[in-house]
């Protein structure tokens, strides 16, 4: 803005353009307000964006449960978790942008706007005041000028009247003297008005010169400086607006680099190995299926240690029998035979009664000495608490909590669960011991400094912690016993080769593996079932149920309660059907009707086997 003004230009500027300057500066203030509003809305957008990003990251964060903890061992799951964490940090940087925009621009502009409005108001107030003063001085000078003009006219008229009176001979001398004095007075008044006018004119010229060459230019200069500062402040804010984003770019870049590094850390082969390790069952694969010769009758080898000596095997029709691979067992009764048979020794008969004839050869104190190797494998797998859902879990996974010893799980998975439980209990023991040590130290301090507390107040808590430690140690011993049992039963590669060799050395006149796998006994040995459907099928409800044939009858010599799972209660003298004889474990499977069947101690009954019974025959 040019500060050099001529008199006319200053008059023109002050008179005509002062309002324009006022409008322009007001528009400048409104522009600053508009820019502050723009930055505020940008800050709100950044805040909302950061909030949405945080909510998105929180939404997909893994929940605190066992399933998510199980997934955390996979590299792609860990990479996704890292991405979510980096995204959360990324959202934090947008919050930083919003905070910096608010503190460095919005707050500063709000404060500056107040100062700008106050300064502008002050400058225009000074300008209007100077304008009013010069206008007042102008009016005063004009008033003096008009008075001087009137006095001059009055003096001229008084002079003319005096001359007229002096020339008239009819006028008295007194009237002429009066007219002369009046003319002199008017001349004096005109002379005084002239002096006043001259004085005010000189004063006005000085004030006008100062107004247009000093006061008004200074006000305009201040307005110009104010405008320049406003424009400069807008430029600084615009630069800050960009710098706020630029300041967080390095951290945003690190977040993006972290996401890239997480993605590059994914290891497909390692994850696949983890899957194998997680779901490895520990079962030993079945041995080779041997050739079955249907060209000659299959005779059962005589055995003096089994009640099935009186039964003879019958040849299966060709094309009707195929080997089944455990655990895919078709017949429900076979599966129940495997899962619900008692695994503890049967109770001894009452001492007051004489032993039954059938109890001698099947006495649990003298079990059979020879079993097929495959029966050993099933015995190794089965635990002391078999459940119906054990085999279902092989296909569908275990649902629910399951028994305390994890016997519903395959061997390898059971071993891992037991080991994890032991580690968890050891951690709890360590925590209790740490608390005990801390309380012991506190008690020592109380003993040395009785004023700090009563040492006896710590004793109840120490006793409680000691009891907790003992309970936890007992639990550890219990789980360690189960773990040792699992590790002893889990087959090794050397066992697998040894057992495969035993299969190959068996005589072809005995039953083959495929025949042996058609039936399971309570202890895991195998029997043969004639004319059975051999299609491998395993469903959740075991709909294709078959009823085991009767191989004889029995009479209960003593009453038996049958509290254990898989057993059946009998009354003394009751007659029952035998559907599976003793395999050397001291138990015989009997049936009361189509729906009631189970195991009873062999020493409690007297067995009468049919000579040509159709049904399962045990090969020893």
């Amino acid at each position: 803005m040019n500060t050099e003004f001529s008199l006319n230009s200053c008059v023109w500027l002050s008179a005509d353009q002062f309002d324009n300057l006022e409008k322009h500066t007001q528009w400048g203030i409104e522009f600053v307000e508009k820019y502050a509003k723009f930055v505020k809305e940008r800050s709100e957008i950044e805040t909302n964006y950061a909030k949405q990003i945080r909510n998105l990251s929180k939404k997909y964060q893994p929940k605190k449960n066992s399933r998510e903890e199980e997934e955390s061992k996979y590299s792609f799951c860990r990479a996704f978790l890292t991405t979510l964490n980096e995204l959360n940090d990324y959202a934090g940087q947008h919050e930083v942008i919003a905070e910096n925009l608010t503190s460095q621009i919005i707050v500063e502009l709000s404060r500056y706007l107040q100062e700008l409005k106050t300064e502008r108001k002050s400058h225009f107030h000074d300008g209007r005041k100077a304008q009013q003063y010069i206008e007042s001085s102008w009016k005063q000078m004009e008033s003096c000028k008009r008075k001087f003009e009137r006095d001059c006219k009055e003096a001229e008229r008084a002079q003319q009247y005096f001359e007229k009176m002096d020339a008239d001979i009819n006028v008295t001398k007194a009237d002429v003297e009066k007219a002369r004095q009046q003319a002199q007075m008017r001349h004096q008044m005109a002379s005084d008005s002239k002096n006043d006018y001259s004085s005010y004119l000189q004063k006005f010229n000085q004030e006008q010169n100062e107004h247009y060459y000093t006061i008004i230019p200074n006000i305009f200069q201040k307005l110009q400086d104010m405008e320049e500062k406003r424009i400069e402040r807008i430029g600084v804010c615009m630069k800050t607006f960009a710098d706020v984003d630029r300041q967080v770019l390095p951290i945003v870049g690190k977040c993006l680099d972290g996401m890239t590094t997480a993605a590059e850390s994914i290891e497909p082969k390692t994850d696949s190995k983890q899957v194998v390790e997680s779901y490895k069952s520990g079962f030993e694969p079945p041995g080779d299926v041997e050739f079955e010769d249907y060209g000659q009758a299959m005779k059962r080898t005589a055995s003096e240690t089994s009640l099935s000596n009186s039964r003879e095997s019958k040849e299966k029709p060709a094309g009707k029998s195929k080997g089944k691979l455990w655990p895919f067992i078709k017949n429900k009764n076979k599966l129940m035979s495997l899962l619900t048979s008692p695994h503890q020794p049967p109770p001894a008969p009452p001492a007051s009664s004489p032993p039954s004839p059938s109890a001698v050869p099947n006495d649990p104190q003298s079990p059979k000495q020879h079993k097929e190797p495959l029966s050993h494998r099933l015995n190794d797998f089965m635990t002391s608490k078999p459940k119906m859902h054990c085999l279902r879990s092989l296909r569908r996974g275990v649902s629910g909590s399951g028994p305390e010893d994890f016997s519903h799980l395959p061997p390898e998975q059971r071993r891992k669960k037991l080991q994890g439980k032991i580690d968890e209990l050891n951690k709890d023991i360590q925590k209790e011991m740490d608390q005990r040590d801390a309380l012991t130290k506190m008690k020592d301090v109380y003993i040395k400094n009785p004023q700090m507390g009563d040492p006896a107040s710590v004793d109840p808590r120490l006793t409680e912690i000691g009891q907790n430690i003992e309970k936890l140690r007992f639990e550890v011993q219990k789980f360690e016993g189960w773990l040792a049992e699992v590790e002893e039963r889990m087959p090794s590669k050397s066992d697998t080769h040894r057992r495969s060799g035993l299969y190959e050395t068996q005589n072809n006149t005995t039953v083959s593996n495929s025949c042996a796998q058609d039936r399971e006994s309570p202890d895991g040995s195998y029997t043969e079932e004639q004319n059975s459907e051999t299609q491998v099928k395993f469903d959740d409800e075991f709909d294709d149920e078959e009823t085991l044939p009767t191989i004889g009858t029995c009479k209960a010599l003593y009453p038996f309660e049958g509290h254990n799972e898989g057993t059946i209660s009998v009354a003394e003298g009751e007659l029952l059907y035998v559907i599976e004889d003793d395999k050397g474990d001291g138990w015989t499977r009997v049936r009361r009707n189509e729906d009631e069947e189970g195991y009873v101690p062999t020493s409690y009954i007297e067995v009468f086997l049919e000579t040509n019974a159709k049904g399962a025959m045990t090969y020893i």
Side-chain angles (χ1 to χ4, degrees):
M1 184 178 297
N2 189 2
T3 58
E4 296 181 0
F5 300 94
S6 64
L7 180 60
N8 293 333
S9 65
C10 286
V11 173
W12 174 77
L13 181 61
S14 62
D16 299 335
Q17 300 302 320
F18 203 83
D19 292 339
N20 291 336
L21 284 178
E22 188 174 11
K23 292 178 181 179
H24 177 78
T25 52
Q26 179 62 31
W27 174 81
I29 291 176
E30 292 174 355
F31 182 85
V32 175
E33 291 176 342
K34 181 173 70 174
Y35 184 77
K37 184 179 179 181
F38 159 75
V39 177
K40 183 178 180 181
E41 291 182 2
R42 163 72 190 282
S43 176
E44 292 174 352
I45 290 174
E46 293 290 342
T47 302
N48 293 333
Y49 178 69
K51 182 179 180 180
Q52 292 176 358
I53 291 294
R54 285 194 183 277
N55 291 339
L56 179 65
S57 176
K58 182 179 179 180
K59 178 181 178 181
Y60 286 92
Q61 285 284 346
K63 304 299 184 297
K64 299 300 182 181
N65 56 46
S66 58
R67 178 61 181 168
E68 298 296 342
E69 292 176 0
E70 190 73 15
E71 290 180 355
S72 63
K73 63 186 178 181
Y74 299 113
S75 62
F76 62 90
C77 293
R78 294 195 300 270
F80 181 58
L81 179 60
T82 302
T83 300
L84 293 178
N85 294 334
E86 294 292 349
L87 191 64
N88 194 60
D89 295 341
Y90 176 83
Q93 298 310 306
H94 284 275
E95 291 176 346
V96 171
I97 291 176
E99 293 173 359
N100 290 341
L101 288 176
T102 301
S103 62
Q104 299 181 21
I105 297 181
I106 298 175
V107 174
E108 290 296 323
L109 282 183
S110 298
R111 181 181 57 80
Y112 175 68
L113 275 171
Q114 297 299 325
E115 296 176 357
L116 183 62
K117 290 178 180 180
T118 302
E119 183 182 1
R120 172 181 175 276
K121 183 178 180 180
S122 174
H123 292 331
F124 280 103
H125 176 73
D126 294 342
R128 287 193 176 90
K129 185 177 179 181
Q131 190 71 20
Q132 291 173 359
Y133 181 80
I134 198 65
E135 289 176 357
S136 175
S137 181
W138 169 265
K139 289 178 181 179
Q140 190 174 5
M141 186 271 297
E142 286 292 320
S143 177
C144 291
K145 178 181 177 181
R146 287 193 295 272
K147 184 176 182 302
F148 171 61
E149 183 181 6
R150 288 195 302 272
D151 290 344
C152 288
K153 289 180 179 180
E154 291 292 334
E156 182 67 22
R157 285 196 295 271
Q159 182 65 28
Q160 290 176 359
Y161 180 75
F162 167 70
E163 291 177 352
K164 181 179 177 182
M165 292 293 290
D166 186 45
D168 190 358
I169 57 173
N170 297 322
V171 177
T172 62
K173 188 176 180 180
D175 291 334
V176 172
E177 183 62 24
K178 183 178 179 180
R180 185 181 66 78
Q181 291 179 355
Q182 185 69 23
Q184 288 178 350
M185 185 186 68
R186 290 295 180 184
H187 278 289
Q188 184 62 39
M189 291 178 62
S191 176
D192 292 341
S193 296
K194 179 180 179 182
N195 292 333
D196 291 340
Y197 169 64
S198 176
S199 175
Y200 273 104
L201 179 61
Q202 185 179 2
K203 180 182 177 183
F204 172 76
N205 288 334
Q206 290 178 353
E207 290 177 349
Q208 179 176 254
N209 185 69
E210 184 179 3
H211 175 80
Y212 287 106
Y213 286 95
T214 304
I215 298 176
I216 293 299
N218 288 337
I219 293 174
F220 286 163
Q221 186 62 45
K222 291 178 181 179
L223 289 173
Q224 182 176 348
D225 294 341
M226 182 190 71
E227 275 293 288
E228 290 176 355
K229 289 179 180 178
R230 177 187 67 81
I231 296 171
E232 181 182 3
R233 179 61 65 90
I234 288 293
V236 171
C237 291
M238 290 183 178
K239 184 175 181 296
T240 305
F241 184 83
D243 289 340
V244 165
D245 263 350
R246 187 176 291 109
Q247 289 171 1
V248 302
L249 286 181
I251 302 178
V252 170
K254 290 182 179 179
C255 294
L256 298 178
D257 292 341
M259 296 180 189
T260 303
T261 304
E264 293 174 350
S265 66
I266 296 177
E267 299 176 351
K269 292 186 180 297
T270 303
D271 289 346
S272 63
K273 290 180 181 178
Q274 288 282 358
V275 175
V276 174
E277 186 68 21
S278 297
Y279 299 104
K280 183 170 62 176
S281 66
F283 291 136
E284 181 185 357
D288 296 337
V289 177
E290 295 184 0
F291 175 74
E292 298 182 30
D293 189 0
Y294 293 100
Q296 54 183 348
M298 299 176 62
K299 297 181 179 180
R300 181 169 184 185
T301 304
S303 174
E304 295 180 358
T305 60
S306 175
L307 291 177
S308 61
N309 292 337
S310 61
R311 290 186 284 125
E312 296 179 357
S313 62
K314 292 189 177 182
E315 184 180 352
K316 290 186 178 181
K320 281 290 184 177
S321 177
K322 294 182 180 179
K324 294 183 180 180
L325 299 178
W326 189 89
F328 301 101
I329 303 171
K330 176 185 176 185
N331 189 279
K332 180 180 179 181
N333 290 325
K334 299 175 189 179
L335 183 61
M336 291 303 296
S337 171
L338 174 63
L339 294 180
T340 62
S341 61
H343 285 265
Q344 62 274 13
S352 60
S353 302
S356 64
S358 61
V360 177
N362 297 286
D363 190 351
Q365 299 301 326
S366 57
K368 300 175 184 180
Q369 300 299 322
H370 177 67
K371 292 184 180 181
E372 292 181 354
L374 191 57
S375 66
H376 283 291
R377 299 189 317 184
L378 286 180
N379 279 336
D380 289 341
F381 165 71
M382 296 306 293
T383 61
S384 60
K385 295 181 181 180
K387 298 294 181 180
M388 189 63 184
H389 60 268
C390 292
L391 298 182
R392 293 180 183 177
S393 65
L394 298 177
R395 185 166 70 91
R396 297 184 304 177
V398 179
S399 60
S401 59
E404 185 183 11
D405 62 350
F406 305 106
S407 59
H408 62 293
L409 296 175
E412 181 66 24
Q413 300 303 316
R414 185 187 180 198
R415 183 188 65 79
K416 292 180 181 178
K417 288 290 185 179
L418 291 172
Q419 186 62 54
K421 187 68 176 179
I422 291 172
D423 295 340
E424 181 181 348
L425 291 171
N426 286 330
K427 290 181 181 179
D428 294 339
I429 291 175
Q430 186 61 43
K431 290 180 181 178
E432 295 290 340
M433 293 177 67
D434 292 341
Q435 293 184 16
R436 184 183 63 184
D437 294 341
L439 289 174
T440 302
K441 292 180 181 179
M442 183 184 297
K443 184 177 181 180
D444 294 339
V445 173
Y446 288 169
I447 292 174
K448 295 178 181 179
N449 302 282
Q451 69 276 9
M452 297 182 66
D454 183 12
S457 62
V458 186
D459 293 338
R461 179 57 180 162
L462 286 174
T463 304
E464 181 184 355
I465 291 177
Q467 294 174 354
N468 293 340
I469 292 176
E470 290 301 323
K471 291 179 181 178
L472 290 172
R473 285 176 176 170
F474 176 76
E475 290 291 319
V476 170
Q477 292 176 359
K478 180 172 64 174
F479 281 96
E480 285 178 346
W482 286 330
L483 179 61
E485 177 186 356
V486 172
E487 291 177 344
E488 289 175 0
R489 290 184 176 183
M490 287 182 62
S492 61
K493 293 184 178 180
S494 59
D495 294 337
T496 303
H497 295 310
R498 179 177 57 81
R499 291 171 183 173
S500 299
L502 289 176
Y503 283 120
E504 295 172 0
T505 57
Q506 287 182 348
N507 195 295
N508 289 334
T509 59
T510 60
V511 66
S512 63
N513 285 343
S514 59
C515 294
Q517 290 176 354
D518 281 344
R519 293 278 288 134
E520 287 82 6
S521 66
D523 65 341
S525 59
Y526 292 84
T527 59
E528 177 185 350
E529 177 182 319
Q530 293 184 351
N531 299 327
S532 63
E533 183 69 21
T534 57
Q535 177 186 1
V536 177
K537 184 177 182 181
F538 188 86
D539 58 16
D540 293 338
E541 301 300 334
F542 304 97
D543 294 329
D544 50 350
E545 179 178 351
E546 296 180 8
T547 303
L548 291 176
T550 301
I551 62 175
T553 59
C554 68
K555 178 182 179 181
L557 302 177
Y558 315 106
F560 177 65
E561 297 297 333
H563 295 298
N564 295 330
E565 186 177 4
T567 61
I568 185 173
S569 60
V570 296
E572 183 179 356
E574 185 178 0
L575 294 178
L576 303 166
Y577 295 101
V578 178
I579 57 176
E580 198 172 278
D581 61 352
D582 190 354
K583 306 300 185 300
D585 55 2
W587 295 92
T588 300
R589 190 175 180 184
V590 300
R591 178 188 295 137
R592 177 177 289 114
N593 50 49
E594 293 184 357
D595 297 329
E596 290 187 73
E597 61 180 48
Y599 289 89
V600 295
T602 306
S603 57
Y604 276 53
I605 60 175
E606 183 177 2
V607 180
F608 308 97
L609 294 177
E610 297 178 6
T611 307
N612 55 350
K614 294 182 179 181
M617 292 182 291
T618 304
Y619 290 77
I620 305 300

